Amino acid sequence: MKKLFVIIVMYGLFMAMPGTMQAQESHGNALNAFVKFGDNSSISANYEFAITQDITVSPEARIWFSGKNDLSIGARGDFYFDRLFNLKEPWDIWGGIDMGFIVSGDDNKDDFNLNLHAGVEYKFSDMFGVILELGGGTTAAGGIGIGIHF
């Protein structure tokens, strides 16, 4: 099941290359890196692809600082509320869901995670922003990070 999920995610990423996506000025084509805190302290990164003006999807990887989990590989989807709230640059507000497989050193201990999250970003320039994100679920944690927009 884990291998099938990874194959589906990878196939989707190759099919959704930036040239085939709807161009957007503020959402998508962004690399986001986080330091997550709380009971699930970790680092994570994702790369957003725009699906519509308000929706992005991202492959995501996460590495824990300590504990039983070594690595999580999965995907996330986000809905941006900027148009709904008539929010202007430099701010972005979103909510979404992320899911994936927790891969530990022992192949028999793989697990599936599912989380909800909400976040806000303040962009210092067209290319860089600072992100605050909160979440809840099986492996969720709040975090602070940076966004690099291409």
Side-chain angles (χ1 to χ4, degrees):
M1 182 71 173
K2 175 182 72 168
K3 290 179 183 177
L4 177 62
F5 179 77
V6 171
I7 290 169
I8 290 170
V9 168
M10 295 306 291
Y11 177 77
L13 292 175
F14 287 117
M15 295 305 294
M17 295 307 287
T20 63
M21 303 306 284
Q22 179 181 354
Q24 290 187 10
E25 196 170 276
S26 60
H27 310 304
N29 295 325
L31 175 63
N32 303 310
F34 295 93
V35 174
K36 305 260 182 175
F37 47 83
D39 291 340
N40 291 307
S41 297
S42 62
I43 56 172
S44 69
N46 65 68
Y47 189 87
E48 290 184 284
F49 295 99
I51 298 298
T52 69
Q53 188 172 359
D54 299 323
I55 298 173
T56 63
V57 295
S58 312
E60 182 174 46
R62 184 172 173 186
I63 300 170
W64 278 266
F65 294 130
S66 62
K68 67 175 185 160
N69 303 318
D70 296 326
L71 173 68
S72 175
I73 299 173
R76 65 187 270 153
D78 292 309
F79 180 83
Y80 283 82
F81 294 97
D82 300 359
R83 284 191 319 138
L84 185 65
F85 296 149
N86 199 22
L87 190 63
K88 304 293 181 203
E89 293 286 341
W91 294 98
D92 284 331
I93 296 177
W94 64 89
I97 186 168
D98 60 90
M99 63 187 102
F101 284 96
I102 302 168
V103 182
S104 66
D106 182 0
D107 288 335
N108 296 327
K109 293 187 178 182
D110 295 346
D111 200 9
F112 185 75
N113 66 62
L114 181 63
N115 306 294
L116 295 175
H117 58 263
V120 61
E121 179 179 19
Y122 179 82
K123 294 177 186 165
F124 291 105
S125 69
D126 289 340
M127 190 168 180
F128 294 103
V130 64
I131 300 169
L132 176 65
E133 194 169 85
L134 302 173
T138 53
T139 61
I144 188 163
I146 60 167
I148 304 169
H149 302 269
F150 302 97

